[in-house]
Amino acid sequence: THPDFELTPRQGLVYIRNTHHFGYLSKDQGIKVELHWRFGSNRFLFPVSFHEFWRDRQILKLGGVDVATLSLEHMMLLLCVHGSLHAWFRLFWLNDVARLVSNHWALFDWNGLMRHAARLGIARMVAGGVLLANLMLGSPLPAAVRAFAEKDKKVHRLAKMSRYLIYAPVRPVHKPLTWAYIYMKLNRSLLRNDMR
């Protein structure tokens, strides 16, 4: 389904270099699957290497089988970057953040997480996601996140725009010359504090 047409070999190379996944749909089962080779088309929005993910992985047992998965810290970073990029228009993404914060509060080193996010240039997205989860779903707001949001006023601005877009009467948000379209473009321009 993504792309929704057959690619020539040359188009395939360009597609792989400039995007991040193929989408498939099982018509019989109604199941959608995306196979990713990156976490997004813009590698600067989530600049974490596979090596770092693999080094910090955790192992879960699923059906008696050991399965490697992201560490809690990397899961939080990824959820917040992904949700922020889409202005949280699917509430289950925000719910995932709220549950991760609520259920694993004590397992996080929140100061370390925010320092790591700052080194990656994604602290605004992480703080925005955790703040929005607090405002909309009542999950706890860690002191390190609150302190970052107080210093970087754009975190509150992003949260306000995301709330508008979640409730926006105009869908899709890519319809030009609507407030939803303008807010989405402005939202993306504020995700990082640099132009990458």
Side-chain angles (χ1 to χ4, degrees), residues 2-195:
H2 196 267
D4 60 355
F5 57 92
E6 192 69 32
L7 299 172
T8 66
R10 185 174 177 187
Q11 288 172 325
L13 290 173
V14 171
Y15 184 86
I16 288 169
R17 191 173 347 151
N18 293 300
T19 63
H20 61 283
H21 77 278
F22 286 118
Y24 298 93
L25 171 67
S26 168
K27 291 180 182 176
D28 297 338
Q29 304 293 322
I31 297 172
K32 293 180 183 179
V33 174
E34 290 181 356
L35 298 178
H36 288 247
W37 50 90
R38 275 195 302 271
F39 287 100
S41 295
N42 183 341
R43 71 183 115 261
F44 296 111
L45 284 177
F46 195 62
V48 180
S49 70
F50 177 78
H51 172 72
E52 187 177 338
F53 284 131
W54 191 250
R55 182 194 66 219
D56 297 341
R57 73 191 179 276
Q58 61 184 29
I59 304 297
L60 297 178
K61 277 224 182 279
L62 292 175
V65 177
D66 287 345
V67 177
T69 187
L70 297 176
S71 68
L72 287 175
E73 179 177 306
H74 285 140
M75 181 63 72
M76 179 63 74
L77 297 176
L78 180 62
L79 288 172
C80 288
V81 168
H82 182 252
S84 296
L85 179 61
H86 296 288
W88 302 101
F89 79 89
R90 291 197 173 128
L91 282 179
F92 70 85
W93 295 333
L94 196 57
N95 187 54
D96 289 344
V97 171
R99 286 179 178 264
L100 198 56
V101 171
S102 297
N103 295 339
H104 302 287
W105 175 269
L107 298 178
F108 279 103
D109 169 8
W110 290 101
N111 290 315
L113 178 87
M114 290 307 297
R115 281 193 304 273
H116 187 193
R119 280 192 305 274
L120 295 171
I122 60 174
R124 189 177 287 163
M125 290 182 268
V126 173
V130 176
L131 174 68
L132 198 59
N134 167 262
L135 293 172
M136 294 191 70
L137 301 173
S139 60
L141 184 61
V145 174
R146 179 181 285 119
F148 183 88
E150 287 173 3
K151 282 192 288 185
D152 186 340
K153 299 301 180 193
K154 290 181 180 161
V155 171
H156 287 279
R157 194 168 173 195
L158 279 168
K160 184 177 180 180
M161 282 189 287
S162 291
R163 288 179 74 172
Y164 174 85
L165 289 167
I166 288 167
Y167 295 113
V170 176
R171 285 283 181 231
V173 294
H174 59 268
K175 186 176 179 184
L177 304 177
T178 63
W179 281 112
Y181 176 83
I182 293 166
Y183 270 28
M184 188 59 139
K185 294 298 181 188
L186 187 56
N187 178 72
R188 287 201 176 156
S189 74
L190 295 175
L191 293 179
R192 292 181 58 108
N193 60 0
D194 60 22
M195 289 309 290

